[in-house]
Amino acid sequence: MSEEFEIRNKVAESGLINFDLTDLIPKGVRKGIDLKDFLFMEMILKEKDFREKVASIDVEEYRDAYVYIYNSADAIVPLWAYFLLTAKITDVTKKIVFGNREDLEVILMHDAIKNYDFEEMRDKRVLVKGCSDKEIPENAYIELVEQLKPVVKSLMFGEACSMVPILKN
């Protein structure tokens, strides 16, 4: 094939780093614990009953899981109840948060971004992948820009065929 008809991948030659946030999503089981299941008539916290139910939890069910604790009942739960429940399972879980599944995902991505070493991207052109088949909390993109802005030469968002320039340093 002659050189004038040579097919070249200009994106690969550009030195552009493609960064996919889905690579940072922690792998593992997510489990929720609804405090209403520990309440009398799903409304009232009776300390003795609550302690018995917490004591009867099989902690192995939460081994290496990411756990979110929430309360779907319209009941006031004292803070010590969260302490007690967390103390029961914390030795076997990867992470425990208060809130719903979305809250858990936001916190997991926050931790992943804060702990990622972006040094390999120093003074490089970086393209953050825009499309994904996995759900990524919007806040993760905000935190990513905070981390990348002081490091990268330029930052873009989208796909190589249709990227949106974000910043140049």
Side-chain angles (χ1 to χ4, degrees):
M1 181 178 264
S2 70
E3 285 187 33
E4 62 187 81
F5 295 111
E6 178 182 350
I7 298 174
R8 294 176 42 208
N9 184 339
K10 291 183 180 180
V11 174
E13 293 174 359
S14 71
L16 187 68
I17 295 176
N18 288 299
F19 187 78
D20 187 349
L21 256 176
T22 62
D23 294 340
L24 297 186
I25 297 172
K27 293 173 181 33
V29 174
R30 275 76 164 148
K31 292 196 172 220
I33 299 176
D34 190 348
L35 283 179
K36 82 169 173 67
D37 299 333
F38 293 78
L39 305 177
F40 175 71
M41 296 176 42
E42 297 182 351
M43 295 174 39
I44 301 167
L45 188 143
K46 289 185 171 182
E47 182 176 352
K48 183 178 181 223
D49 294 346
F50 184 83
R51 286 181 176 277
E52 287 172 359
K53 286 181 182 179
V54 169
S56 70
I57 291 174
D58 178 9
V59 295
E60 288 306 312
E61 183 179 336
Y62 301 98
R63 181 161 302 281
D64 297 326
Y66 297 102
V67 177
Y68 55 101
I69 299 172
Y70 64 102
N71 181 8
S72 68
D74 190 19
I76 297 171
V77 176
L79 286 175
W80 62 260
Y82 298 102
F83 275 59
L84 192 64
L85 184 54
T86 301
K88 174 69 177 186
I89 63 174
T90 196
D91 292 338
V92 298
T93 62
K94 288 185 178 179
K95 180 87 170 172
I96 306 171
V97 303
F98 172 79
N100 59 31
R101 170 75 184 259
E102 292 78 26
D103 296 328
L104 172 67
E105 297 303 333
V106 167
I107 291 169
L108 291 178
M109 286 303 292
H110 168 81
D111 291 350
I113 290 167
K114 285 293 185 189
N115 293 320
Y116 189 83
D117 182 7
F118 292 101
E119 196 55 38
E120 67 183 43
M121 297 178 197
R122 180 158 304 281
D123 300 323
K124 300 280 182 9
R125 298 173 62 231
V126 176
L127 172 63
V128 176
K129 184 176 179 181
C131 296
S132 174
D133 58 347
K134 296 179 182 173
E135 186 95 14
I136 297 176
E138 286 86 358
N139 196 61
Y141 291 100
I142 292 168
E143 290 191 47
L144 182 65
V145 172
E146 285 181 318
Q147 296 299 312
L148 289 176
K149 185 176 180 185
V151 176
V152 301
K153 179 178 180 180
S154 64
L155 180 63
M156 291 144 288
F157 177 81
E159 303 300 323
C161 62
S162 62
M163 59 183 114
V164 177
I166 305 298
L167 67 92
K168 277 189 173 186
N169 287 329

